[in-house]
Amino acid sequence: MTILLTTDTNGVRTLTLNRPHRKNAIDAELWDALRTALDEAGRDSSVRALVLTGAGGAFCSGADISKGLSSVHPLYRMRTLSEVTLLLHELPVPTVAKVTGVAVGAGWNLALGCDLVVATPETRFSQIFTKRGLSPDCGGSWLLPRLVGLQQAKRLALLAETIDAEEARALNLVTWTVAAAKIDAFVDELTTRLAGGAPVALAQTKALLNEGADHTLREALSAEARAQAVNFATADAPEAYAAFAGRRDAHFTGRWAVPGATPEQSEDKT
């Protein structure tokens, strides 16, 4: 059985965790597959948006502990988890977590590592780590305080309570809740919009927002100026103006359009 399914549709790559018999709990093999898949997605200029989801009605029940403790030192095992987390966070395309069933522990933090989270009303979430004698990983200690504030982050992490999608949305941990029967169509429409956006501008915007929380205003303004210089070096800004003037939809490519560049130099590279 393929443990990580990959599909591409009109610039949208979907990665589906495929261990439904374990509610998509992630074992060492699946961590490695995720690392490879995210690295490849970040290098593939045809990928304009990415969806992370799970098979069989569940998103992810966390790391697979059914096999007991590994003989490999935890520091080595955690390297892979950290690499997956960073690859997802720094992916230069918009990412969407499509969450059904449960999102627990590392699984929930992978969802939170996506740019947008779509869940069903039936979805349940838990930072289950302390109930397993562990502390948060996959970026949970960094993500939660930024999303919900320090006090609520401590409540979720220390008590390891299970919360529903309504409360998760109220805490800004879910972007949208959508009925299970409609979530596929909703995510398809959302990612079509994202994939149709200006790829370089989206990548710059995502990086600015991710890094902005750790920047002073002066640093953020400098980063914004550098990002705009990159954006104006593409064909997308002129295309946007032309589309506005022509009252038509813009067609964004991310193509480099520095004056004097040859066609070979102007290939789509994000």
Side-chain angles (χ1 to χ4, degrees):
M1 181 178 70
T2 303
I3 59 174
L4 183 66
L5 305 176
T6 303
T7 58
D8 289 300
T9 305
N10 299 324
V12 179
R13 178 161 296 177
T14 300
L15 301 180
T16 303
L17 309 178
N18 190 34
R19 300 185 74 228
H21 60 291
R22 297 291 305 160
K23 292 186 178 180
N24 301 315
I26 310 178
D27 61 4
E29 185 181 2
L30 184 48
W31 282 119
D32 286 337
L34 265 175
R35 176 175 55 186
T36 299
L38 290 170
D39 181 62
E40 290 175 350
R43 297 172 184 272
D44 189 342
S45 61
S46 70
V47 177
R48 302 280 288 266
L50 183 135
V51 176
L52 183 63
T53 192
F59 182 75
C60 176
S61 58
D64 191 347
I65 60 173
S66 65
K67 299 175 184 178
L69 295 177
S70 169
S71 60
V72 178
H73 195 286
L75 283 178
Y76 293 108
R77 298 201 306 273
M78 290 304 299
R79 286 179 184 172
T80 303
L81 274 68
S82 298
E83 289 169 359
V84 168
T85 301
L86 282 172
L87 284 166
L88 180 62
H89 182 74
E90 296 176 353
L91 205 67
V93 299
T95 55
V96 177
K98 182 166 67 175
V99 187
T100 60
V102 296
V104 174
W108 190 8
N109 289 338
L110 283 177
L112 294 179
C114 293
D115 301 315
L116 303 167
V117 179
V118 185
T120 66
E122 298 80 18
T123 306
R124 296 295 180 266
F125 303 88
S126 176
Q127 292 286 322
I128 201 169
F129 300 98
T130 58
K131 289 186 177 179
R132 302 287 184 259
L134 300 170
S135 50
D137 56 28
C138 282
S141 65
W142 188 89
L143 288 162
L144 282 172
R146 285 165 171 75
L147 292 169
V148 303
L150 183 58
Q151 189 175 72
Q152 287 294 337
K154 288 179 177 179
R155 168 215 158 189
L156 291 168
L158 295 175
L159 295 175
E161 297 173 328
T162 297
I163 65 172
D164 60 23
E166 180 180 359
E167 183 173 4
R169 186 179 180 190
L171 289 169
N172 295 321
L173 298 169
V174 165
T175 320
W176 296 279
T177 54
V178 180
K182 298 180 179 180
I183 191 170
D184 289 343
F186 182 92
V187 171
D188 288 347
E189 192 273 338
L190 171 63
T191 52
T192 295
R193 290 167 56 196
L194 292 169
V200 174
L202 289 175
Q204 297 295 308
T205 300
K206 175 174 175 174
L208 287 169
L209 294 173
N210 281 344
E211 297 163 5
D214 299 318
H215 282 174
T216 65
L217 175 58
R218 183 177 297 276
E219 290 168 337
L221 290 170
S222 295
E224 288 174 356
R226 291 191 295 271
Q228 292 295 44
V230 172
N231 294 327
F232 279 118
T234 73
D236 288 342
E239 165 64 8
Y241 287 113
F244 177 77
R247 296 184 178 181
R248 60 173 175 82
D249 292 334
H251 176 63
F252 295 120
T253 63
R255 182 173 58 84
W256 184 34
V258 175
T262 66
E264 291 77 12
Q265 292 172 318
S266 300
E267 291 179 356
D268 178 12
K269 298 293 183 183
T270 57

